[in-house]
Every structure is written in structure tokens, then in C-alpha cells.
Amino acid sequence: MVVKKALRRSLAQVRHVTPVPPGAARGLVADVYAQVERDFGMLAPPVALHSAAPEVMAGVWMLLRESLLAQGLVSRAAKELVATEVSRANACPYCVDVHGATLRGLGGPAPAAPEPGPEVTGTRLTFHYLNRMVNVFLGESPLPPAVPGAVRGGALRVLGSMMGSSARRSRPPGDSLGLLPDAPLPDDLRWAEGNPYVAGAVARATAAVSQAGERSVPEPVRELVTAEVAKWDGTPPGLSRAWCEDAVAALAPAHRPTGRLALLTAMASYQAGTAVDDVRTDDRGLLEITAWASMVAARARSGGS
């Protein structure tokens, strides 16, 4: 009962932006919400937090559904292992809790690390993206702080059992692709071509996020972040933000707040929340800046091998 009540209130944990309440959802937002609740088992806050930017939210849901949730050649348990390991590497305790609990809830022997392929690399891309957005807009646990510490371990086990039960249901691939129009697959994402459903999701999602970046991220900021991520080896920059301040000093003063937020989101998302208040924009703009930066890093870090 504690877990069910906590999950019903989970959208209240989103910070910096206000998700569309389920009862107020219309159009594309309502369509995505309905699919998420049907196929994920609950209205997952990491997806719903995007609702002020509906096209981006639809793309993110496609990535999650067609790589992790849909039936394919790789078991759900093996893909949950990938999601958990990527989330741990990105210091995203929220996603580690959710997907580690789901993996345990699936039961059975521990899965072996799966061979690379469209589903596995698609899962890696999805969680390199989601981990960054979760670190900016959510807390450290899917359970609200009000859940007593003495019962949090048990609550996570119940969550795992619920999620594991949902994960055992078969979900046919491709159901989400109608949410957004077709788009070409970028050259750096050709690893997805072996699975038409993953490829369709990757193409549509990255197109939606690229268009969001063009709307909300000034071109000098896009150029700076792309260049910095391209030469980054993935090592955490550390607690000091001097590296970020040095990088954004090359921007015009008016662009530095957006540049700072985008660069931190891409390369040190655990620090990015501190830069939100300096950016003068609405919820959609804030989501489009951080989504664009998260996707730049995700495309660089997920790899195709």
C-alpha cells in the first residue's frame, strides 16, 4: 500500500518543470501517457517530466519502448542489466533503483552481458540520455522522501516485484512508431539498421530532439557543446566547475547561462540542477535545452560496437 501510494504521487517529485497532470493531458501528451501506462505499468516520471515538450517526450518514449520493453532477440532481463549498468556508470541512483529492482523482480539466474546489437545499443543510448535528464529533474530515488527509511528496502523489493510482473508481459515491437513522423537515420546511428523498430525509434527520437535544439539552444552553444563532448573521454570532470566556466567564457555573456546548463547536462549532469535558475526560459525551453545536450552526450557515449 505504501508503494502504491508513493507511485501515485511520483510526478510530484519532478523539479524545475511541471508535468502535465494525467487528467489534463490532450493530444500527443495523452497518447504517450496512455502507452506508457499500458506498457511500462505506471506513468514513469522520467518520461512524463518531458510533457511540456510533447514531441521530445514521444521520441523518448519510443526509444525506451522499442529498445528495452518490446519483444525482440534479447531478453528483457539482459536489457535491464544493461540499463542498470549504464545508470550506475552515469551516477544515476534513481535509474539504478528502478531497473535494478526490475531485474531482481524478473527472477531467475543472473543474465550474462548480452552481445552488442540494435536492442542493446539502443538501450545504452536510451539510458545515457535518460540518466542525464533524471539527474537534472528528479531526485535520487523513485520513492518519495516521505517513505520512512526503515521500510525503503522493503518498498524497493515490492516495486521490483511489481515491475518484474509487468516486464514479463510480451509487448509487440513497433506500436509506438506512429506517434511521430518517419525521419532519416543519421550516419552515426547506423548500428540500429538491423532492427527496423529500433531504427525507426532512434531516427524519429533524434530528429525530434535535434529540432528542439534548433528552437531553444543558440547556435554558438550547440557548436561549443558538440565540440566539448567530441573530445571528452567520458571521465567525470569532478566536483569543481572550473572546466565548465573556462569553456563557456568563449560565449557571448547572453549565451553563457544556456551554455553552462547544456554543458553540465551533457558532461556532469549531477551538477546541472544548480545551473537551471540562471536560464530565462519556460518549461518547454528548459526541457529542449537539456534534452538536446543529453542526446549529444548519449550519441557520443552509447557507441555502436
Side-chain angles (χ1 to χ4, degrees):
M1 183 62 68
V2 169
V3 174
K4 288 182 178 179
K5 288 182 178 179
L7 293 178
R8 282 197 292 269
R9 295 195 298 267
S10 59
L11 290 188
Q13 293 177 258
V14 177
R15 57 197 181 195
H16 305 308
V17 296
T18 302
V20 175
R26 300 290 184 271
L28 183 57
V29 174
D31 292 342
V32 174
Y33 277 14
Q35 287 198 14
V36 174
E37 290 186 305
R38 181 195 70 194
D39 289 343
F40 196 72
M42 60 176 287
L43 184 54
V47 177
L49 69 84
H50 293 80
S51 56
E55 298 84 3
V56 173
M57 181 174 70
V60 171
W61 166 240
M62 283 182 192
L63 283 179
L64 181 65
R65 187 192 187 280
E66 302 305 331
S67 63
L68 179 71
L69 306 185
Q71 185 176 4
L73 299 177
V74 181
S75 73
R76 176 71 180 268
K79 291 186 285 189
E80 289 289 349
L81 176 64
V82 172
T84 304
E85 290 181 342
V86 170
S87 299
R88 187 172 289 115
N90 285 327
C92 182
Y94 184 107
C95 293
V96 170
D97 274 357
V98 171
H99 296 281
T102 304
L103 182 58
R104 292 188 294 274
L106 283 167
E115 292 295 322
E119 293 169 59
V120 171
T121 306
T123 300
R124 289 179 56 81
L125 176 73
T126 300
F127 282 89
H128 274 297
Y129 173 88
L130 280 175
N131 293 159
R132 288 165 167 82
M133 296 297 285
V134 167
N135 279 341
V136 176
F137 294 104
L138 285 165
E140 294 189 352
S141 173
L143 301 177
V147 175
V151 303
R152 292 181 78 82
L156 284 173
R157 286 192 291 274
V158 174
L159 173 63
S161 177
M162 293 167 57
M163 297 297 293
S165 177
S166 174
R168 291 187 189 96
R169 299 201 310 269
S170 176
R171 293 162 180 81
D175 278 5
S176 69
L177 298 184
L179 293 169
L180 290 176
D182 194 9
L185 188 66
D187 288 343
D188 66 303
L189 302 172
R190 293 292 178 190
W191 49 260
E193 288 181 324
N195 182 314
Y197 307 109
V198 173
V202 168
R204 289 166 170 82
T206 53
V209 173
S210 294
Q211 291 162 9
E214 291 174 3
R215 280 191 298 268
S216 295
V217 185
E219 185 175 0
V221 173
R222 298 201 306 269
E223 292 175 351
L224 173 69
V225 174
T226 301
E228 292 294 322
V229 169
K231 65 186 182 184
W232 180 43
D233 66 359
T235 303
L239 296 178
S240 170
R241 285 179 20 178
W243 62 274
C244 182
E245 297 305 320
D246 289 345
V248 300
L251 296 171
H255 290 159
R256 288 174 192 168
T258 299
R260 185 179 297 112
L261 176 60
L263 200 54
L264 287 169
T265 299
M267 297 173 62
S269 57
Y270 48 85
Q271 293 182 333
T274 62
V276 169
D277 292 340
D278 295 332
V279 178
R280 305 295 182 184
T281 187
D282 57 11
D283 283 4
R284 182 178 182 122
L286 187 59
L287 286 163
E288 291 189 337
I289 292 165
T290 50
W292 177 84
S294 294
M295 189 61 77
V296 170
R299 288 170 71 162
R301 303 308 308 160
S302 58
S305 61

